[in-house]
Amino acid sequence: MSVRVQPTNGWILLAAGGVVGLVFLFGLFRAIRMGERRVADSDLRGLDLN
């Protein structure tokens, strides 16, 4: 059996890297914009935190 293998073109790797970079930047933007909130303010009303 004969198999021909060719290396992946550079533009495919560049495109994949670009997509990964965009996903990372989107997640970073959401994390910074949202802050550290884990619980809604309405859920904290009525709790005795002392």
Side-chain angles (χ1 to χ4, degrees), residues 11-46:
W11 67 269
I12 293 176
L13 293 177
L14 187 61
V19 169
V20 169
L22 287 174
V23 169
F24 175 76
L25 288 176
F26 178 71
L28 186 63
F29 174 75
R30 280 188 60 196
I32 290 172
R33 195 176 117 233
M34 293 296 186
E36 289 292 322
R37 290 184 194 167
R38 305 258 181 202
V39 178
D41 291 337
S42 60
D43 293 338
L44 294 177
R45 291 187 192 135

Side-chain angles (χ1 to χ4, degrees), residues 1-13:
M1 176 168 39
S2 177
V3 177
R4 290 179 70 189
V5 178
Q6 295 179 350
T8 305
N9 290 335
W11 67 269
I12 293 176
L13 293 177

